[in-house]
Amino acid sequence: MDYVIHLLILIGIFSILGLSLNLVVGYTGLLSITQAAFYGIGAYTTAILMRALGMNFFLSMLIGIVATIVISSIIGTVLSKFKDDYYALGSFGFNIIIYSVMLNWQGLTRGPLGLPGIGRPELFGLILSENGAFLILVIILTVFVFLLSQAITRSSFGRVLMAIREDEKVIQVFGYRTHSYKLLIFIVSAGMASIAGSLFASYITFIDPSSFVLMESIFILAIIILGGLANNKGAVLGAIIMILLPEALRFVGFPTEIAAQMRQVVYGVLLIILMIYRPQGVMGNYKL
Amino acid sequence: MSLLSTHKLKKIFNGVSAVNGVSLSFEPGKITSVIGPNGCGKTTMINLITGMMPFDDGNITIGEHTKIDNMPAYDVATYGITRTFQQPRLFEQMTVLDNILVVLTERNVFKSLFERHDKYHIDIAEKILRRVDIFEKKDNLAVNLSYGQRKLLEIARVIAMGERTDGESHILFFDEPFAGLFPEMVKLVSSILKELRDEGKAVVLVEHNMDLIRELSDHVYVLDAGEHLAEGTAKDVFSNRGVIEAYLGD
Ligand SMILES: Nc1ncnc2c1ncn2[C@@H]1O[C@H](COP(=O)(O)OP(=O)(O)OP(=O)(O)O)[C@@H](O)[C@H]1O
Ligand SMILES: [Mg+2]
């Protein structure tokens, strides 16, 4: 049972990450590969504040969101100067920069040693040390992010995002200041990713920079490409597939170490097959 | 009185003048045609006026003296200027209905977050789609439309811009709207252009078909190699020796 709960918690965290990235990549068509950086900023903010000040998890999560909003508005402004492939490369540069800061600002992050002993959330004197209780929190926040994503993508704002993805110049001719839309959705997306980071830090109770490397951003991208770009349910489906697949491999009888190594290969093969036969993902509305 | 005018507008691409000191003026309640051989700068002219590309010299004036020189496209739009594209540029992976709705909805970023496509907007959008006869396609993705239907959706978007409740467009550029349309669709589009004119819009028509120019134009400008060659009624310009030579020499 604990194993199932563990998987469900991971699915929730990665659903939030997938939903958040889908707003930028799937709906707005900006190939951002830096989501792990915002995930990491949320995680580190929670870890540092809870450890150093004994701050409440929820407050640390809110501060993490604020920090991510500030940093992502700077990154988003810089990225707005780029287009297409250059945008992707630029975004990936930011992931590397943030990762380096986590690794090298040792006074704050303890670098590669990581931050152990992060506490669990506490609500009205109730500590969610039980994984079952933690799962409920994860579900609540995942549903919240899902509903927020639905509200955004079904609004007039969401329709403009898709028009930007299709032809930014033309939607400008019809009177939309597209950079405001792109920046705002980038910031909202980063803020959501930071929620996932806070949850992750408090759940595992230990973080180090290796969880927020570029490869992790690519993993999140794979989730939405697989599940479906520009589809919120698709993002959740993608997270379910990507988390459960390696477990399935183990059940089929691969030894644990081989299953772990097979993971990357299987993801790669799966993505290639998908790009050939169904470029919009399992339930997506947009082809890259 | 002119709603929009250009004064000695100039655009140079790699040392070659695509538009070379052209002055045009467009009036409300009139269809003004801009004609000329291929490559004479008609589309470029529209690109300059709508803010899609910067120009090198000259002025664009709204009404008496509001200058909109080299303004970004989204600001130009607020002066009520809109256009179709000669090669349709639709929002391909969106439905036909969404292609229209996105033109009708709120322009303020924050307000748009709280706006849903309510019945009011859908009613207007559906009425426009019926008017250009692509209503049955409303739930199809634009990418799946035929060439003629794509041209009609281009026109529908411009009609939608003209019906926006917060700041309707009244200067409408149509860049070869008839190209590739079946005869009955040509009839439909020309009746739409006349209706827009009768509603008081300044309609600007770029077109190669002389019969349509004769039928629709209140005033005609002829461009040749980026320069103003002639102007007047269709009858005037088609009997102008210079114009005939420009076309025959093409
Ligand atoms: N973006 C661009 N870069 C370089 N040259 C351009 C560009 N756009 C147009 N031109 C050139 O400017 C000239 C005018 O082109 P334009 O498209 O305005 O002609 P047009 O009158 O619309 O022709 P047509 O009737 O074929 O549509 C052409 O020589 C064209 O090659
Ligand atoms: Mg042209």
Side-chain angles (χ1 to χ4, degrees):
Chain A
M1 192 59 199
D2 237 25
Y3 170 68
V4 174
I5 290 174
H6 169 71
L7 291 179
L8 288 175
I9 289 173
L10 288 184
I11 287 172
I13 290 173
F14 281 91
S15 293
I16 294 175
L17 290 169
L19 285 163
S20 72
L21 188 62
N22 211 0
L23 294 175
V24 173
V25 177
Y27 285 95
T28 321
L30 301 168
L31 190 50
S32 166
I33 314 181
T34 189
Q35 209 65 0
F38 303 129
Y39 175 46
I41 293 168
Y44 268 95
T45 309
T46 284
I48 292 165
L49 292 176
M50 286 184 81
R51 276 167 44 101
L53 307 176
M55 188 182 278
N56 178 284
F57 168 82
F58 295 96
L59 186 56
S60 80
M61 183 175 85
L62 288 180
I63 295 175
I65 293 173
V66 173
T68 311
I69 286 174
V70 172
I71 294 171
S72 65
S73 54
I74 298 167
I75 294 180
T77 305
V78 176
L79 285 178
S80 70
K81 310 272 179 271
F82 299 104
K83 268 194 137 41
D84 307 326
D85 305 357
Y86 296 98
Y87 187 97
L89 281 173
S91 72
F92 164 149
F94 278 111
N95 200 146
I96 293 169
I97 292 169
I98 302 276
Y99 170 73
S100 310
V101 171
M102 291 169 186
L103 202 60
N104 295 308
W105 192 352
Q106 306 217 351
L108 195 66
T109 67
R110 300 199 341 136
L113 295 176
L115 297 171
I118 305 162
R120 280 293 178 88
E122 201 182 321
L123 198 59
F124 310 121
L126 198 78
I127 302 175
L128 307 186
S129 51
E130 284 285 319
N131 283 355
F134 194 88
L135 174 61
I136 293 171
L137 174 66
V138 170
I139 291 173
I140 291 170
L141 287 174
T142 306
V143 168
F144 167 74
V145 170
F146 180 84
L147 293 178
L148 185 60
S149 301
Q150 288 286 73
I152 291 171
T153 55
R154 288 179 176 176
S155 68
S156 296
F157 178 91
R159 196 181 298 103
V160 176
L161 296 183
M162 291 189 274
I164 290 173
R165 175 189 79 197
E166 296 302 317
D167 197 330
E168 183 172 357
K169 202 77 210 182
V170 171
I171 197 65
Q172 285 181 346
V173 167
F174 291 123
Y176 289 96
R177 297 170 167 269
T178 55
H179 29 257
S180 318
Y181 288 80
K182 292 195 290 184
L183 184 59
L184 187 58
I185 200 62
F186 189 77
I187 294 170
V188 168
S189 159
M192 289 175 172
S194 130
I195 295 177
S198 295
L199 285 173
F200 178 77
S202 176
Y203 174 59
I204 305 288
T205 70
F206 167 83
I207 54 168
D208 69 4
S210 71
S211 299
F212 313 108
V213 289
L214 188 60
M215 194 55 213
E216 199 67 12
S217 287
I218 295 172
F219 181 81
I220 302 166
L221 185 64
I223 286 178
I224 57 173
I225 291 178
L226 197 77
L229 290 166
N231 184 314
N232 295 318
K233 291 191 190 105
V236 176
L237 178 69
I240 295 172
I241 297 173
M242 292 290 272
I243 298 294
L244 293 189
L245 193 72
E247 308 304 320
L249 285 180
R250 279 199 319 165
F251 275 117
V252 175
F254 285 101
T256 315
E257 323 83 72
I258 298 191
Q261 287 161 12
M262 284 286 289
R263 212 176 116 154
Q264 310 286 343
V265 176
V266 171
Y267 292 152
V269 171
L270 211 62
L271 277 178
I272 292 168
I273 292 175
L274 208 67
M275 285 297 116
I276 295 171
Y277 293 103
R278 201 175 158 76
Q280 68 271 51
V282 179
M283 48 193 305
N285 297 317
Y286 165 57
K287 295 177 205 156
L288 270 181
Chain B
M1 192 210 74
S2 88
L3 217 46
L4 171 76
S5 59
T6 68
H7 179 70
K8 296 193 172 158
L9 212 55
K10 197 174 171 92
K11 175 70 186 178
I12 302 169
F13 290 118
N14 314 315
V16 182
S17 306
V19 171
N20 196 4
V22 176
S23 303
L24 309 175
S25 144
F26 307 107
E27 291 178 29
K30 295 237 162 90
I31 296 178
T32 307
S33 295
V34 179
I35 65 170
N38 289 109
C40 71
K42 305 180 293 293
T43 299
T44 304
M45 196 73 205
I46 298 178
N47 287 340
L48 302 184
I49 294 172
T50 53
M52 290 197 73
M53 43 173 74
F55 49 86
D56 299 291
D57 203 8
N59 302 107
I60 300 173
T61 312
I62 300 277
E64 291 287 319
H65 32 238
T66 310
K67 295 265 184 294
I68 56 162
D69 299 344
N70 287 326
M71 232 181 224
Y74 45 80
D75 285 335
V76 172
T78 63
Y79 289 95
I81 299 172
T82 195
R83 66 173 295 175
T84 67
F85 293 86
Q86 185 176 351
Q87 299 302 327
R89 286 176 72 169
L90 305 173
F91 305 118
E92 304 285 350
Q93 298 186 55
M94 288 167 63
T95 65
V96 168
L97 185 64
D98 274 336
N99 267 267
I100 302 298
L101 285 173
V102 77
V103 167
L104 291 172
T105 50
E106 178 58 53
R107 294 311 194 258
N108 179 288
V109 184
F110 294 101
K111 285 191 195 156
S112 74
L113 262 171
F114 299 98
E115 187 187 65
R116 297 285 172 281
H117 40 272
D118 47 45
K119 186 162 174 348
Y120 174 72
H121 286 134
I122 292 178
D123 284 348
I124 299 179
E126 293 190 344
K127 189 189 77 194
I128 293 168
L129 289 175
R130 283 207 180 83
R131 189 164 167 194
V132 299
D133 205 19
I134 49 174
F135 180 74
E136 321 75 65
K137 298 283 168 188
K138 76 181 167 84
D139 297 320
N140 289 44
L141 294 184
V143 68
N144 296 328
L145 297 182
S146 71
Y147 185 75
Q149 289 163 344
R150 299 168 69 76
K151 299 286 280 195
L152 293 170
L153 184 52
E154 278 276 345
I155 292 164
R157 280 198 308 205
V158 165
I159 297 174
M161 282 295 279
E163 305 217 342
R164 274 166 41 72
T165 36
D166 41 348
E168 59 178 43
S169 297
H170 40 264
I171 306 170
L172 317 177
F173 286 87
F174 292 89
D175 197 350
E176 306 200 16
F178 298 103
L181 292 190
F182 289 117
E184 66 271 27
M185 288 298 145
V186 170
K187 272 207 205 92
L188 176 68
V189 173
S190 59
S191 73
I192 288 173
L193 295 188
K194 287 179 197 161
E195 285 163 24
L196 292 170
R197 174 194 62 196
D198 296 343
E199 288 164 23
K201 309 280 189 198
V203 176
V204 184
L205 174 63
V206 170
E207 181 51 47
H208 284 292
N209 182 319
M210 297 306 160
D211 293 333
L212 287 166
I213 295 292
R214 267 194 207 92
E215 181 194 335
L216 295 169
S217 314
D218 295 300
H219 192 79
V220 181
Y221 287 104
V222 187
L223 302 186
D224 184 30
E227 309 212 8
H228 177 286
L229 179 67
E231 69 177 281
T233 62
K235 197 157 167 268
D236 289 344
V237 300
F238 289 140
S239 55
N240 179 312
R241 178 166 293 277
V243 173
I244 295 164
E245 277 170 7
Y247 270 95
L248 290 179
D250 189 42

